[in-house]
Amino acid sequence: MSKTIQNAEPGGGIDSQWAWFTQAGNDSLERGQLHDAQRYYERALTEASTMFDKVQSEQAACHYAPMTYNIAAFNLATLYSDIGNRQMMHRYARSALERLIEVAEQRNVPQELRLQCVRHLGRAVIALEQLCPEARTHPDYRILVASADLLQRKFDMPAGLSSMPSAAASAANVH
């Protein structure tokens, strides 16, 4: 199995349900129970998605929503890549990039959420290129990767953020 499956330690925070489902998916994957892993990873993605709805009422959601969504989507993409279902792998890899870009471009969400989405775009591109090395030239990703690069530049300058890791950065920099 691929090494990009992300670990999560269940705790008591806003991400505790997401972490529990992610860990249960990881455990199922280790036991070779792919259907169960898929089911748990899908629940983790649902939990991550609902965090975006909580950003107005819970400050922590601004930090956790982009990270957890990115990890959950790429756990599913990696699982499908490992079992040879490239169509589903592409579906989940695209969803990670699309969601982060979509939220980062919205002016009616908290600035912190937008910044966190941009910060995780670099990680999403790295994870994508691990799964699909031809991503920068692949028709399904070329525009998304270019949009991610533009958003990173846009947010780096006025906010004074350090540059995101390049897509060539090592996997050790991913979550």
Side-chain angles (χ1 to χ4, degrees), residues 3 15 31 50-51 77 80 83 102 104 116 132 135 139 148 166 168 173:
K3 295 187 188 315
D15 66 333
R31 290 189 302 271
T50 63
M51 276 189 237
Y80 281 112
I83 61 175
E102 173 191 341
Q116 289 298 326
C132 184
S166 70
N173 291 334

Side-chain angles (χ1 to χ4, degrees), residues 48-126:
S49 188
T50 63
M51 276 189 237
F52 283 100
D53 298 332
K54 297 176 183 178
V55 298
Q56 300 297 342
S57 61
E58 295 188 50
Q59 178 65 26
C62 289
H63 176 75
Y64 286 108
M67 176 187 69
T68 58
Y69 191 88
N70 192 33
I71 292 170
F74 275 102
N75 279 347
L76 280 161
T78 301
L79 174 68
Y80 281 112
S81 177
D82 288 346
I83 61 175
N85 188 335
R86 300 286 289 174
Q87 181 180 6
M88 291 301 286
M89 183 275 295
H90 287 296
R91 174 184 171 194
Y92 286 108
R94 276 187 69 87
S95 77
L97 286 170
E98 288 171 341
R99 184 70 183 261
L100 294 174
I101 290 168
E102 173 191 341
V103 174
E105 289 177 334
Q106 292 177 4
R107 297 199 184 278
N108 63 337
V109 298
Q111 184 72 3
E112 180 60 25
L113 176 61
R114 295 177 72 202
L115 289 171
Q116 289 298 326
C117 285
V118 171
R119 286 183 179 134
H120 287 280
L121 277 171
R123 291 174 179 96
V125 170
I126 291 168

